[in-house]
Amino acid sequence: MEELHKVYKKNECKYLTHDFHPYPHKIIPQIARALIKKYTAQNDTILDIFCGSGTSLVEANLLGRNVMGVDVNPLACLISRAKTTSLDCNKLDQAVTDLIKKIQFHLTRDGTLQDYTERLQPKIQCFKERDKWFSKNALLGLSVIKDLIKRIDDSEIRDYCMVAFSCIIKEVSQASPLYHLTKVRYPRQITLFRVNNLFKCKLQEMVREMHEYSKKRSNSFVKVLNQDARTINADKVMGEVDFVILNLPKFNMDFERCFKIYSWWLDFDVTTINKNIIGTMKRKQNYYKDIGFVLGKALDVLKTQKYCTLLVTDSYCAGRHLQHGDQIQQIAKKIGFTFKEKVVRTIPKKLLPFVTKDRKEEIFIFKKL
Ligand SMILES: C[S@@+](CC[C@H](N)C(=O)[O-])C[C@H]1O[C@@H](n2cnc3c(N)ncnc32)[C@H](O)[C@@H]1O
């Protein structure tokens, strides 16, 4: 498979709905597509166990495969659903135009902060360290936008707008754009006009991308489940899946610092979720055990003579470069998978945000005999 060896430029990976959100550690869409094409046929059912922002779900649907995605992070599920839900484009256009008009009315260039608050009386979001990470304008602008989104009746359109909203949170905050962690401050002045404009541009771009996606999507089903992969009820789908994709969570990832800025605004509890994130700093000693457990579930749900793919990336921990592929390959074999193939890819650092060295990615193919 030639596609697995190619290096893809960032812009090549942004087609259709893939650029809805800069979710960390996304799978390259062309790679997901090549694997799905090779190991499945039309109307097959695929399970993506760590679906993240839904890259493989989009590709599976475009290829006419049924697909289920599982992720414990509610933001991941929100994005995955927004990227794959078939929305009535006329209804979406109308709702977005109305929302933009309302926001524009409340967040115009003129007036004082007091004016805005009096006109709309939005509930100003409250959270720990709020004034450290958000200026007054950012806080008010985001609160107004969130408030107006929450008033949208259609839950699918509401979630869709929430994804656009989530994308501007970091941009208007005082968090450094150079780090994916909410760790280093980067004080900046932001006007209400700018907050409004960033949101408007993002939402309009998403609508254009959704129009394109709607023309190409198939009628096969996409289901997104917000749950811990270790609690998948394998009995329900035992031996019914034709292909399993696992883009493994990163080892030693600081999940809480990466996602806390989103959690403040999207009302999820990052500390509780962090406890269940595989590979996160707090759970890293359980990494291989957790992966083994999930691989066991993958084996249970897979039909015999079918394939499972694992994408494993290297990591850095206390200055040490760690490669996890060999150990994970051993675990998969021990559980009962048969090793078929391995492809090693180098991802140049210039293509990755926030990294200073080239990374290695290993793609394993296993079979259930
Ligand atoms: C490498 S990312 C997947 C990215 C995805 N392929 C994409 O294109 O966006 C790994 C994902 O595993 C999820 N994850 C970590 N621990 C999990 C668990 N216990 N159950 C379900 N998902 C988990 C994380 O939330 C993260 O979204």
Side-chain angles (χ1 to χ4, degrees):
M1 268 187 291
E2 207 185 295
E3 295 91 334
L4 299 193
H5 297 275
K6 268 178 74 179
V7 171
Y8 296 92
K9 295 198 184 106
K10 271 187 206 156
N11 275 347
E12 289 178 281
C13 304
K14 291 185 171 180
Y15 57 94
L16 301 176
T17 56
H18 286 304
D19 194 32
F20 269 20
H21 197 279
Y23 196 79
H25 315 304
K26 292 192 212 180
I27 183 173
I28 292 168
Q30 289 85 346
I31 297 221
R33 185 176 187 85
L35 291 165
I36 293 170
K37 257 177 133 173
K38 172 145 188 203
Y39 292 105
T40 63
Q42 281 274 331
N43 300 321
D44 272 3
T45 300
I46 299 172
L47 176 65
D48 181 351
I49 294 194
F50 300 112
C51 70
S53 63
T55 315
S56 320
L57 311 187
V58 171
E59 290 302 324
N61 178 269
L62 291 170
L63 289 166
R65 277 56 162 175
N66 297 309
V67 65
M68 292 179 284
V70 175
D71 205 291
V72 75
N73 181 357
L75 175 62
C77 295
L78 183 79
I79 304 166
S80 286
R81 289 195 189 105
K83 272 164 124 173
T84 54
T85 301
S86 169
L87 292 173
D88 174 339
C89 284
N90 291 331
K91 221 169 135 189
L92 178 66
D93 287 349
Q94 190 55 54
V96 164
T97 310
D98 288 351
L99 178 67
I100 288 174
K101 259 196 212 148
K102 278 187 199 149
I103 294 173
Q104 218 136 3
F105 175 76
H106 291 289
L107 297 186
T108 49
R109 217 190 287 248
D110 318 311
T112 63
L113 286 185
Q114 212 182 344
D115 282 343
Y116 302 120
T117 350
E118 275 169 12
R119 266 190 257 156
L120 194 68
Q121 297 182 333
K123 179 178 159 285
I124 304 291
Q125 197 80 2
C126 231
F127 46 84
K128 204 175 134 205
E129 298 187 322
R130 184 182 82 172
D131 301 330
K132 173 177 162 191
W133 294 107
F134 293 91
S135 66
K136 273 201 172 126
N137 280 348
L139 196 60
L140 185 64
L142 288 175
S143 296
V144 169
I145 295 174
K146 182 178 171 189
D147 203 58
L148 290 168
I149 294 175
K150 286 190 101 177
R151 295 173 195 211
I152 298 174
D153 290 332
D154 185 313
S155 63
E156 285 174 349
I157 294 181
R158 199 166 55 230
D159 285 353
Y160 192 85
C161 297
M162 270 299 177
V163 171
F165 173 75
S166 75
C167 285
I168 67 158
I169 296 174
K170 188 115 191 258
E171 238 174 308
V172 304
S173 76
Q174 313 266 342
S176 169
L178 299 174
Y179 296 88
H180 67 296
L181 303 176
T182 315
K183 187 171 149 188
V184 180
R185 282 191 73 217
Y186 178 84
R188 60 183 139 197
Q189 295 297 326
I190 191 127
T191 60
L192 286 169
F193 176 74
R194 173 111 180 102
V195 180
N196 166 26
N197 215 33
L198 280 171
F199 177 72
K200 185 174 100 181
C201 291
K202 180 66 199 170
L203 191 56
Q204 287 174 335
E205 182 187 282
M206 280 174 59
V207 171
R208 279 194 298 276
E209 289 161 349
M210 181 45 86
H211 275 264
E212 285 305 305
Y213 177 67
S214 300
K215 286 184 212 149
K216 298 193 169 154
R217 60 164 292 134
S218 70
N219 289 328
S220 52
F221 75 72
V222 184
K223 269 189 207 151
V224 181
L225 305 172
N226 184 201
Q227 73 174 93
D228 186 333
R230 292 164 303 169
T231 63
I232 292 174
N233 187 350
D235 295 346
K236 272 196 177 167
V237 272
M238 181 76 91
E240 283 187 16
V241 171
D242 299 279
F243 187 48
V244 181
I245 300 178
L246 298 119
N247 181 13
L248 296 190
K250 289 280 296 176
F251 179 80
N252 197 32
M253 188 197 177
D254 195 342
F255 178 85
E256 202 160 346
R257 274 202 165 146
C258 191
F259 286 99
K260 72 176 178 184
I261 198 158
Y262 299 108
S263 77
W264 290 330
W265 288 95
L266 301 181
D267 309 318
F268 62 83
D269 177 1
V270 76
T271 312
T272 308
I273 297 162
N274 189 38
K275 291 188 189 131
N276 296 321
I277 292 284
I278 296 174
T280 192
M281 294 175 98
K282 284 195 179 137
R283 289 196 61 82
K284 65 176 184 254
Q285 67 284 9
N286 293 330
Y287 189 62
Y288 293 118
K289 194 171 141 218
D290 285 337
I291 297 293
F293 197 75
V294 176
L295 279 175
K297 299 268 180 190
L299 189 72
D300 286 345
V301 300
L302 201 59
K303 291 179 184 166
T304 50
Q305 302 304 319
K306 295 286 179 177
Y307 295 88
C308 168
T309 186
L310 252 83
L311 280 85
V312 186
T313 36
D314 56 6
S315 61
Y316 285 86
C317 185
R320 281 174 55 223
H321 179 217
L322 304 173
Q323 282 187 290
H324 307 281
D326 287 349
Q327 205 145 340
I328 286 170
Q329 186 178 344
Q330 292 307 322
I331 296 170
K333 272 190 192 166
K334 210 164 146 193
I335 281 167
F337 275 115
T338 302
F339 171 75
K340 283 285 156 194
E341 201 187 328
K342 175 172 117 174
V343 173
V344 181
R345 290 169 45 78
T346 302
I347 312 165
K349 63 177 183 218
K350 62 174 192 237
L351 293 182
L352 295 167
F354 323 116
V355 304
T356 51
K357 291 184 182 150
D358 290 353
R359 309 304 294 254
K360 283 247 171 316
E361 181 177 61
E362 293 165 287
I363 304 176
F364 290 92
I365 305 293
F366 293 101
K367 190 171 184 182
K368 177 173 173 177
L369 293 181

